[in-house]
Amino acid sequence: MPYVIAVAGKGGVGKSTLSALLVRTLSERTGEVILAVDADPNANLGDKLGVKVERTIGQLREDLLNRADEIPAGVSKQDAVMYQLRLAMAEGETFDLVTMGRQEGRGCYCYINNLLRTFLDSVMGDYRYVVIDNEAGMEHLSRRTCQRMDMLMVVSDPTAVGLTTARRILELAREMEVEFSHSMLVISRVRGEVPDGLRHDIEDAGFESWTVLPHDDEVDRLAEEGRPLTELSRDSPAAAAVRQLVTRMR
Ligand SMILES: Nc1ncnc2c1ncn2[C@@H]1O[C@H](COP(=O)(O)OP(=O)(O)OP(=O)(O)O)[C@@H](O)[C@H]1O
Ligand SMILES: [Mg+2]
């Protein structure tokens, strides 16, 4: 079974940045290919990882619905879907990326969605680590891209309002009976020290552990220039923090 990390949090806090850095750090540490899943309909993990996404699962789903009768005789629909899904994965040297994309039309996708889950479940078995970058907010938790996760990482900015959202996400995950073994709060884009006034809220938010991802000018600069985080210097503050974070993961 792979170790599944799901990254959640409100909009713009740094979920995709953390996800991309996790993928990079985990592959460096293990020498293994990591499975990255971009579960945000407004996908950009591919950009951050420096690969071009040719096809999203959403587009594939649409094609399958419209062209179901074109599956060659002798091939089961399930096999055809699985084959297409494999083709829809973007492969980097140190990771494979599945981009969910949006659900495009209004057709009935239940059958295909079920196949998709089967696919993700089966494909995940081939990896030691899976990193899922989720969309902002918490509604998606109920949709369950994935059935279980080992680590729920909730990213928050260093503000009281941000922490309230982070806390709510954790509560919602519990209410929804999302299966997770560990939880970590990641306070992102911290300049200097975490303000004393926030420490109490952080400790009180209900997470098993918490850590800081410092503000990093180089991360910002790469984003501005549209360059991937694979180019981030190894000794940059954010890269170092994620290395540290990974050693604390259980
Ligand atoms: N540690 C950091 N230091 C500096 N800039 C950062 C850091 N983390 C994220 N950013 C910047 O903040 C912006 C938002 O980051 P990111 O896209 O990772 O957030 P997100 O939570 O995935 O957003 P969304 O909710 O839109 O998916 C980006 O421009 C990114 O470069
Ligand atoms: Mg994002």
Side-chain angles (χ1 to χ4, degrees), residues 15-16 40 44 133-134:
K15 298 179 293 295
S16 303
D40 186 347
N44 68 359
D133 179 19
N134 286 290

Side-chain angles (χ1 to χ4, degrees), residues 10-17 19 38 40 42-45 48 133-136:
K10 76 179 168 93
V13 286
K15 298 179 293 295
S16 303
T17 300
S19 301
D38 190 345
D40 186 347
N42 195 2
N44 68 359
L45 188 59
K48 296 210 186 283
D133 179 19
N134 286 290
E135 74 184 280

Side-chain angles (χ1 to χ4, degrees), residues 173-191:
R174 292 206 172 107
E175 277 165 29
M176 298 277 184
E177 295 176 2
V178 173
E179 251 182 75
F180 60 94
S181 318
H182 303 286
S183 62
M184 190 187 278
L185 173 62
V186 181
I187 313 289
S188 178
R189 308 199 65 168
V190 176
R191 292 175 191 267

Side-chain angles (χ1 to χ4, degrees), residues 61-62 64-65 77 103 105-113:
R61 183 158 42 193
E62 201 55 31
L64 288 166
L65 206 69
K77 193 164 175 187
Q103 183 144 315
R106 290 163 157 257
C108 175
Y109 296 91
C110 301
Y111 175 75
I112 294 167
N113 282 345

